[in-house]
Structure formats: structure tokens, C-alpha cells
Amino acid sequence: MATQPNIVLILNDDMGYSDLGCYGGEVQTPNLDRLAAGGVRFSQFYNTARCSPSRASLLTGLHPHQTGIGVLTYNMGPEGYAGNLNRKCVTIAEALKPAGYRSYLSGKWHVAGNLTQPTDSWPMQRGFDEFYGTIIGAGSFYDPNTLTRGNENIEHEAKAPGFFYTDAISDNAVEFIRRHRREHPDKPFFEYVAYTAPHWPLHAHDEDIAKYKGRFDSGWDRLREERLQRLVASGILDKSWPLSDRDPTQPEWPLAKHKEWLLRCMEVYAAQIDRMDQGIGRILRALEDEGELDNTLVIFLADNGACAEDIPDDLTVDELVNRLMIAKEHTRSGEPVHFGNDPGVMPGPENTYQSYGRAWANLSNSPFRLYKHWIHEGGISTPLIVHWPAGIREKNVVRHTPGYLPDIMATILDVSKTAYPQTWNGAPVEPLEGHSLLPAFAAELPSRPPMFWEHEGNAAVRIGKWKLVRKYPDPWELYDMELDRTELNDIAARHPERVQDMLGQYEAWAARCGVIPRERVDELLRSQNVGTAFWEREDFRAPYLP
Ligand SMILES: [Ca+2]
């Protein structure tokens, strides 16, 4: 390569494996589809099951527990769960600095405990030259909390007519590219674009929602089958893997109540992704206009599987607005915001705050089981699209080599020919956990090192075709991923020695990386007065259940 490539790393939030057009879904994503057609799609790429841990791992090439982000950004101190990106890790932006890169972030941060005062864990103190976005993990798309430029709160900018966070993320990403070319024409750049779509609340524009009117009318059962058929037809999934059953807590489509409202929820969810794709189109155009598209490695992925966690009815507005800071009590024009999944209120506008529910999340993760928060395939499987005309010869290929988030740092260092640092600011840094996927851009890899996950007691180890996985507090399950990617036949009882061996490797990893047992995490949560995490409560409202 004559010159170092630019890198544009695009992450989105709470999206299922099969929502995108180029991964079998109904959502119209022509710009991501274009990247897929000109690059490589990975069929077995994995994230870390929830927002903050995934972002911590993606940004550092480590496991989340090593970075201070064991669960989320609550302080559950001290042993690696401080809720702040610590000093034993470097971000991609920091690691690329010695190689001459400038770094930009447009979008969500969510790896800092302090949401209102700049700290050493905020983006500008973690290697980024420019930052536009939010520190918090979720919020209104019309009026987000913690909107920040550099280290300054700019929430007032969201009061401008027509403001919409997804568009603002896209526009700032475009502006960073254009200004970089004017002001630093000789330097390569790293841009991290972290969308919050399609995380709840279900906020979208009428014109985008209208595109999906009728598209989901056949219901989740039929659509789950259609998605699997398209995934098989496009060579992403093997035809021998059956569809998992519908989530047993959810009704078959004909029995679901409030269908008009239900359909609207899925239409808004699709519109959220659609709007993101439109913005990605503008980013790609900016790269083309500046003559940079060929030598830019564009990477797209999601931070966790689709989300079955609703916003519970009994969470007070005070908790949402003041303690969690993920909502505002009134719209910008002073109307009250109607919180919760009331089927009498259609989601989309600024005065609503809703989620699409478990049955649609089940569709989003087709054909897999479970959701965000679990380490089964529905929780951690993500599309991964890589596009780099100057560096990838093949077009429109699907690669089945497995990979996971720590590999992204390793890959970016590899393509930019940059060494991972042993120290940063005079202190030692944890050794890199990921392995470069650059060789997999050209061909399937014969093998890869083991992969490990842990999130709130849910855990897994993947060695070759074997996956040992636990849904806390249930026993460990064993799956042969070549025969059974949808995890339908637990064969742990038939392979006791393999289970013991994999468990031993898992426990050695967990001890090395500072994983705290779930029981202890619960104690810490209670001692920090965080209360029962609302995303785990079973009492949320699902008004469509028969
Ligand atoms: Ca997320």
C-alpha cells in the first residue's frame, strides 16, 4: 500500500442479525448493501451483548472487564468494574496517534461514568481530536441529553428546528471528513461513527415510517421464515440449520392483540435503520468527493443483538429523566412526553417514548435464539461488513471465519501498519486480546484462537466449531456450530470431557481478565443503590400478549 488507509468504523445500537437488506432483512439499506456488494460480509462475527461492554472492547481490543467496563457505566468499583475506561487500555484513536492519524468521533460514547463533567474517560482525553455526540447510552432522538462537542455541553443545539440525532451524527461525520481533507491533507484519519439507532425510544420521521407501511403485515412468524430463506439464498447461513422456535413467551402472530400498534412499532424500528443508512450514504459520498473512498477501510457492525427489554410502566418519569438521564420530561415545545408502550399511542413522534418488544426482537435476530444481554447467537451475532477497494480484491463475498470485537483493534493496527503500545502515558497497557482479520479479507482462515465472553453471568467460550455457553443461572450448554448454529441441540451430556476442558479454559480466562461472578456483581449493584436494573425486570408491559 502506497499510503496508509483511512478508517471509518461505523457502529450501530441494538440491531438484530438479520434486519439489514444485505443480511436477509426487510429494511431498505442501499448504502450498506453497496458496501457489501463491493466488499466482504462476515457470517460469524460477534459482539459483547450490551452497549458499554461492546464499545469498551471495540475501542480497546481488550475484554470489557479489563477496561473498567464490566457491566455498564455505573460505578461498581473497584475490580475492573469502575464504569469508566481505565488507564490500562488504549483506544484505537490513541494507538493510531503515533502512526500520524487524526481521529474523529461522531455519536455515542457510553464508556464514562461521569455524564456531565469532562473526565479522563471522555473522548477528547482518550485520543480523539474532535468529538460530537452523547456521553449517555440512550435518549430522545429529537432532544438528546449530554449532547457534547469536544468537552462542552451543547444540548441547546438540539433546539434548532429539524434536529434529529441520527442526522446530526451523519452530518458531523461528513463535516469531519471534509474539514480533514482541507486542513490535514497529508494525514490519514480514523473516524468512529457510533449511531444510537435503532435503540429505543422508537423515534422516526413520518416519510421514513411510510416506506414500511404494509411490509410487516404478514407477521413475525412468516417473516422469520422468509429471513432465513434469504440468508441461506445469499450464502450467509447454511441451509441445514433450522429456524429456532418462536420465543415461547410470545404469541403466534394471529393471536397478538393491538396489531395496528404492533405493526407501527416495527415500521418505526425499520425507519430508524433506514435513516441511518441514508446518513451512511452521505458519508460515502463525502469520501468519494474527496477521492478517499478507495483507500478507506469502512467497517460496519452492531454493538449487540436485538433488544427484548421494554421500558417498564412502573419506572417513574423521575427515574428516567433525572436518575438514568435517558429521557426528557417535555418535548422542545413543552408538551408532556408519553412514556411507555401504550397501544393507544403510536410511536415515532417526539412526545412518545416506546420500544418494539420481544416478539419483534425475535424477528430481528432470526434465525437465532435469545437477545441482547445473552451470549447465545441472538445476543452476540452481528453483521460485519468491510469495504476497502484498495485493499480487498474480491467483491460481494461472504466469509465464514469467526471473529469478535477485540479483533477490530488488531485489524486496524494491521492495515495501518501500527504497533500496539506496551505502555501509554508511562503506565503499562494490557496486551492486545484480538487477532487481525486482515488475512480473512482475502481468504477463509483455517483456524483462529479461542474466543471468550462474559456479561452479567451469561458466558461462552468458542473453540473451533464448539461453543460452550451459559444462560445465567442455568447449566452450561454445548453446541456444534457447524451442525447447529441456531443452538437447538445441547450436546453437553454427550461430551463431558470436552465440557470440562472448555470450562477450564473459560475459568482461566475469566480469572486472568478479572471477571467478577454474577452473585458478587449483584451485591455491588445493591451497595451502589442502583436498584434492580430495569432492563432485567420481568414485570415490563407487553400489551400485545393475548
Ligand atoms: Ca446497544
Side-chain angles (χ1 to χ4, degrees):
M1 205 57 52
T3 55
Q4 295 157 298
N6 308 305
I7 291 139
V8 175
L9 174 60
I10 308 173
L11 182 75
N12 82 332
D13 202 350
D14 286 19
M15 187 183 74
Y17 182 76
S18 57
D19 285 315
L20 300 180
C22 54
Y23 275 79
E26 301 81 12
V27 187
Q28 296 165 33
T29 51
N31 295 295
L32 286 170
D33 296 356
R34 174 188 169 195
L35 292 178
V40 179
R41 273 169 293 173
F42 284 78
S43 68
Q44 292 193 83
F45 196 79
Y46 297 109
N47 51 40
T48 312
R50 191 183 292 287
C51 303
S52 301
S54 276
R55 284 149 212 275
S57 189
L58 174 72
L59 279 163
T60 65
L62 301 177
H63 295 287
H65 321 76
Q66 297 174 293
T67 72
I69 310 285
V71 181
L72 274 166
T73 47
Y74 302 109
N75 180 5
M76 297 194 289
E79 313 110 346
Y81 284 53
N84 260 321
L85 216 53
N86 65 27
R87 304 307 306 183
K88 294 188 291 187
C89 60
V90 291
T91 66
I92 296 169
E94 289 167 333
L96 289 176
K97 208 168 275 294
Y101 279 74
R102 281 182 63 84
S103 292
Y104 306 92
L105 163 54
S106 185
K108 160 173 158 177
W109 184 239
H110 205 195
V111 286
N114 194 323
L115 301 172
T116 53
Q117 299 296 323
T119 66
D120 286 350
S121 298
W122 280 34
M124 298 297 281
Q125 286 70 253
R126 296 309 310 244
F128 288 93
D129 296 294
E130 305 244 19
F131 165 52
Y132 172 88
T134 44
I135 304 296
I136 188 90
S140 170
F141 286 76
Y142 299 94
D143 190 7
N145 279 321
T146 75
L147 191 65
T148 303
R149 186 177 294 282
N151 282 311
E152 295 226 349
N153 184 292
I154 52 160
E155 283 176 46
H156 60 276
E157 288 189 11
K159 312 302 180 204
F163 177 92
F164 192 71
Y165 190 34
T166 302
D167 294 337
I169 291 171
S170 304
D171 292 343
N172 278 274
V174 165
E175 177 57 23
F176 289 149
I177 291 168
R178 297 205 187 279
R179 214 166 60 224
H180 177 89
R181 204 29 72 217
R182 286 199 304 272
E183 296 176 2
H184 306 278
D186 302 328
K187 287 192 165 193
F189 66 85
F190 164 60
E191 180 169 74
Y192 175 36
V193 186
Y195 287 102
T196 55
H199 195 300
W200 49 249
L202 291 170
H203 283 167
H205 294 78
D206 285 340
E207 68 263 32
D208 296 328
I209 300 167
K211 287 189 198 175
Y212 296 94
K213 198 82 204 146
R215 185 65 187 89
F216 302 102
D217 286 6
S218 55
W220 44 66
D221 297 309
R222 173 82 177 278
L223 292 165
R224 289 181 77 236
E225 290 170 10
E226 290 176 5
R227 284 193 181 197
L228 177 56
Q229 286 164 10
R230 286 192 294 265
L231 283 161
V232 169
S234 55
I236 294 173
L237 296 185
D238 191 294
K239 66 176 185 305
S240 70
W241 299 330
L243 186 64
S244 61
D245 287 340
R246 181 190 340 102
D247 185 311
T249 67
Q250 302 302 303
E252 60 180 288
W253 175 252
L255 298 182
K257 298 199 297 183
H258 302 298
K259 283 206 177 60
E260 189 188 353
W261 173 81
L262 267 175
L263 289 167
R264 170 79 177 196
C265 287
M266 190 63 199
E267 289 157 13
V268 174
Y269 174 87
Q272 288 180 287
I273 299 171
D274 188 300
R275 195 75 174 194
M276 172 193 74
D277 186 79
Q278 295 172 39
I280 291 171
R282 293 204 294 282
I283 294 169
L284 298 181
R285 265 200 302 284
L287 290 170
E288 271 181 319
D289 291 349
E290 304 296 336
E292 298 288 352
L293 187 61
D294 272 8
N295 199 28
T296 297
L297 170 61
V298 181
I299 303 171
F300 174 86
L301 72 169
D303 72 336
N304 48 255
C307 176
E309 299 157 357
D310 282 309
I311 304 151
D313 265 7
D314 56 353
L315 201 64
T316 65
V317 171
D318 177 61
E319 285 176 297
L320 280 165
V321 171
N322 296 316
R323 185 165 62 82
L324 295 167
M325 288 180 61
I326 56 176
K328 291 208 170 144
E329 198 166 353
H330 295 94
T331 67
R332 292 166 295 175
S333 60
E335 278 180 81
V337 173
H338 192 114
F339 291 95
N341 292 345
D342 177 349
V345 175
M346 290 294 166
E350 186 178 350
N351 65 348
T352 65
Y353 201 102
Q354 302 194 3
S355 54
Y356 76 159
R358 197 175 183 107
W360 288 128
N362 197 189
L363 168 66
S364 284
N365 289 333
S366 301
F368 302 129
R369 292 205 285 129
L370 293 172
Y371 312 94
K372 170 181 181 176
H373 171 255
W374 286 287
I375 314 295
H376 286 70
E377 294 292 285
I380 60 169
S381 297
T382 172
L384 176 72
I385 306 169
V386 297
H387 180 274
W388 180 23
I392 301 175
R393 193 169 308 151
E394 282 183 281
K395 307 286 177 220
N396 196 26
V397 292
V398 175
R399 204 68 84 210
H400 303 294
T401 296
Y404 70 157
L405 289 179
D407 298 339
I408 299 293
M409 164 75 96
T411 305
I412 288 174
L413 295 178
D414 199 2
V415 304
S416 61
K417 301 193 169 47
T418 307
Y420 181 79
Q422 294 186 326
T423 61
W424 188 253
N425 286 344
V429 170
E430 296 280 352
L432 182 61
E433 295 280 341
H435 296 269
S436 174
L437 291 172
L438 179 59
F441 291 1
E444 298 285 0
L445 305 184
S447 66
R448 67 149 300 134
M451 297 188 284
F452 300 94
W453 297 262
E454 193 279 341
H455 177 64
E456 296 185 319
N458 304 312
V461 50
R462 169 92 186 252
I463 301 174
K465 67 177 184 174
W466 302 101
K467 179 179 176 186
L468 186 72
V469 60
R470 175 179 67 191
K471 177 176 186 274
Y472 180 87
D474 297 346
W476 290 90
E477 303 160 17
L478 180 71
Y479 297 100
D480 178 336
M481 302 304 282
E482 285 179 5
L483 294 177
D484 184 19
R485 174 93 193 266
T486 48
E487 297 169 312
L488 301 181
N489 298 301
D490 171 16
I491 50 174
R494 291 193 349 230
H495 297 267
E497 286 178 14
R498 186 177 303 284
V499 169
Q500 277 316 305
D501 174 62
M502 291 178 78
L503 196 51
Q505 294 198 48
Y506 170 80
E507 282 168 355
W509 167 81
R512 179 172 68 74
C513 293
V515 173
I516 304 175
R518 166 65 183 268
E519 295 79 2
R520 174 74 182 131
V521 170
D522 287 344
E523 279 172 33
L524 288 165
L525 272 170
R526 278 193 294 276
S527 73
Q528 294 289 333
N529 199 25
V530 176
T532 308
F534 70 91
W535 51 84
E536 288 186 15
R537 296 206 304 223
E538 297 295 334
D539 57 351
F540 58 70
R541 180 173 180 172
Y544 52 91
L545 292 177

